[in-house]
Amino acid sequence: MDQRLTDEELAPVLEPVATARGLPNRHYVDQTWFETERDKLFFDGWAGIGFAKDVPANGDAMPITFLGQPLVAIRGRDGKLRVFLNICRHRGMILIREAGPIRGAIRCPYHSWCYDLDGALKATPHVGGPGHNSHEAIHREDLGLVEVPSYVWRDVIFVNISGEAPPFETAHRVAIERWREFDGPLFHSGADSGFRLDVATNWKLAVENYCESYHLPWVHPGLNSYSRLEDHYNIEEPGAFSGQGTTVYRQLADEKGLVFPDTPGLGDRWQTAAEYIALYPNVLFGVHRDHSFAILLEPVAIDRTAEHVEIYYHAEEALDEDHAALRARNSALWETVFKEDIFVVEGMQRGRHANGFDGGKFSPVMDSPTHMFHRWVATRLA
């Protein structure tokens, strides 16, 4: 059943940060609200579902189940990545069950209807009776795979399942422009540049924690030792993203002084700066002079989230053998940092079962990026 926030419930969340309250407990523990958020926050907008690096070659396909939706990402013969509903138009059978290259056509294992890589229906064996592969009632041009609007930004595959959102370039114009200097190729080295964390928390708490730097001194003392709380600033774009940045980024180096190559053409400020934003609803990005990362939050259940972390480099040289040990150190460093957050988001999830919790109070100075995310959720659920 679709839920809506009443004006009375909405008002405290939409207050200015100094007087606002956070979202009520039920948004973290109630299954009905989880399903409403699925429709209104994920399906109606642009949500991250996977990584383009996992569909590298023409003809490659990757099935993805996202919030119950059977999807498949396919790189066509033209090199374009498309996303379709992973179902046959005949009887709704799942088409592609494992990631890998498609040899020839996409063939339904049930009645052998066949589709091209661009989704066009090409063959309907015996559809008009034995030996008759066509019928006047079957219009192949109308029965291609159902394409889902998709867009790849910073290697993340975004989809708009409802098909009703503005184009990604419009919806996230500000984020794209903000990081225009990082528009060059991204290089991923494989298993040593990615990991997954399974966390017993609602996906929103992972976003809320990532948005702010307030927790650094106590949760990330290692980071805070050189990039201190006072070195950070808030990043806020209403209705789209929020996060934080630092003016003190320390480039990782090995004992011989080897570092990762910089992004070509960066402005001077990026020599010492780094930024971290949550692109609503579920992708967390970080950019630095020499590498970037993306964290895709997969809401597995109302109290379970899979965090898919992938690290990218800005020059192909970073993938060579000379940098292998440094890449391993970099991945280990970020895995340590992100694991430090787990007890916090899991603790807040358990805390949301407390009947007396009223949504919480925000620090007017330190919590405004998190409050902005709450406002976005509340407004879309109003």
Side-chain angles (χ1 to χ4, degrees):
M1 182 173 130
D2 199 8
Q3 300 287 308
R4 286 290 184 274
L5 284 171
T6 66
D7 290 344
E8 182 180 358
E9 295 166 321
L10 183 64
V13 186
L14 295 185
E15 285 277 328
V17 63
T19 54
R21 294 290 177 184
L23 291 164
N25 281 350
R26 60 180 174 276
H27 292 275
Y28 304 87
V29 299
D30 186 294
Q31 181 63 26
T32 303
W33 277 103
F34 181 72
E35 294 168 5
T36 296
E37 290 180 356
R38 174 198 63 195
D39 296 341
K40 298 302 176 185
L41 304 184
F42 287 88
F43 291 177
D44 283 355
W46 288 97
I49 62 165
F51 299 92
K53 69 176 181 61
D54 296 325
V55 196
N58 295 0
D60 283 353
M62 177 175 62
I64 303 166
T65 300
F66 179 72
L67 284 167
Q69 294 295 297
L71 307 172
V72 60
I74 300 174
R75 195 171 294 278
R77 293 183 179 87
D78 57 1
K80 181 178 179 181
L81 191 147
R82 300 173 178 87
V83 177
F84 302 97
L85 296 184
N86 190 18
I87 56 170
C88 181
R89 293 296 299 277
H90 176 213
R91 302 301 303 145
M93 176 65 182
I94 293 295
L95 292 171
I96 298 174
R97 287 167 287 183
E98 295 182 357
I102 297 172
R103 307 299 184 191
I106 302 165
R107 187 185 70 82
C108 178
Y110 193 12
H111 297 95
S112 213
W113 284 28
C114 294
Y115 302 86
D116 204 350
L117 300 184
D118 64 2
L121 178 60
K122 292 300 187 182
T124 51
H126 308 302
V127 73
H132 298 279
N133 298 332
S134 62
H135 190 279
E136 61 183 12
I138 303 297
H139 304 287
R140 291 184 187 174
E141 64 274 15
D142 299 329
L143 292 169
L145 300 182
V146 178
E147 186 170 357
V148 178
S150 62
Y151 191 88
V152 176
W153 187 57
R154 305 201 60 75
D155 201 54
V156 175
I157 305 170
F158 291 88
V159 295
N160 171 223
I161 290 176
S162 74
E164 297 176 357
F168 185 92
E169 304 99 308
T170 301
H172 290 299
R173 174 184 55 83
V174 177
I176 293 170
E177 189 57 40
R178 184 182 188 98
W179 286 352
R180 183 72 67 186
E181 291 174 273
F182 292 94
D183 267 357
L186 295 173
F187 299 93
H188 191 275
S189 63
D192 68 353
S193 291
F195 52 90
R196 168 178 168 151
L197 301 175
D198 292 291
V199 189
T201 194
N202 182 270
W203 66 275
K204 292 190 298 301
L205 291 172
V207 176
E208 295 169 26
N209 175 71
Y210 186 81
C211 281
E212 47 94 344
S213 58
Y214 191 10
H215 66 287
L216 289 181
W218 306 282
V219 179
H220 304 299
L223 275 180
N224 191 72
S225 67
Y226 61 88
S227 183
R228 302 162 302 166
L229 185 61
E230 52 266 40
D231 297 323
H232 287 73
Y233 55 90
N234 293 336
I235 301 171
E236 299 173 321
E237 179 60 28
F241 62 86
S242 59
Q244 37 101 11
T246 179
T247 58
V248 180
Y249 168 60
R250 186 174 69 182
Q251 196 172 24
L252 189 65
D254 68 9
E255 60 278 358
K256 297 179 181 179
L258 182 70
V259 296
F260 298 118
D262 284 348
T263 301
L266 279 185
D268 289 343
R269 84 179 189 93
W270 292 108
Q271 296 303 304
T272 56
E275 290 191 344
Y276 310 93
I277 65 170
L279 197 74
Y280 307 155
N282 70 319
V283 184
L284 316 178
F285 286 110
V287 293
H288 318 81
R289 57 187 286 185
D290 56 357
H291 75 284
S292 301
F293 63 75
I295 307 173
L296 195 158
L297 301 177
E298 178 191 355
V300 178
I302 193 167
D303 57 356
R304 285 196 302 131
T305 301
E307 300 184 356
H308 303 272
V309 183
E310 301 295 346
I311 300 171
Y312 299 86
Y313 297 94
H314 301 161
E316 196 165 14
E317 181 187 342
L319 305 191
D320 62 25
E321 187 59 32
D322 290 343
H323 289 84
L326 198 60
R327 289 196 308 272
R329 279 183 57 194
N330 196 36
S331 293
L333 171 66
W334 283 117
E335 187 168 4
T336 297
V337 170
F338 298 142
K339 282 182 174 179
E340 288 172 343
D341 289 311
I342 291 178
F343 88 95
V344 172
V345 295
E346 291 188 341
M348 287 192 291
Q349 179 65 29
R350 292 194 298 273
R352 291 308 184 272
H353 289 275
N355 291 341
F357 185 66
D358 60 1
K361 181 72 174 172
F362 295 106
S363 159
V365 177
M366 304 303 299
D367 283 328
S368 54
T370 297
H371 173 245
M372 183 165 287
F373 173 64
H374 277 238
R375 285 178 62 98
W376 176 79
V377 172
T379 300
R380 292 184 72 97
L381 296 179

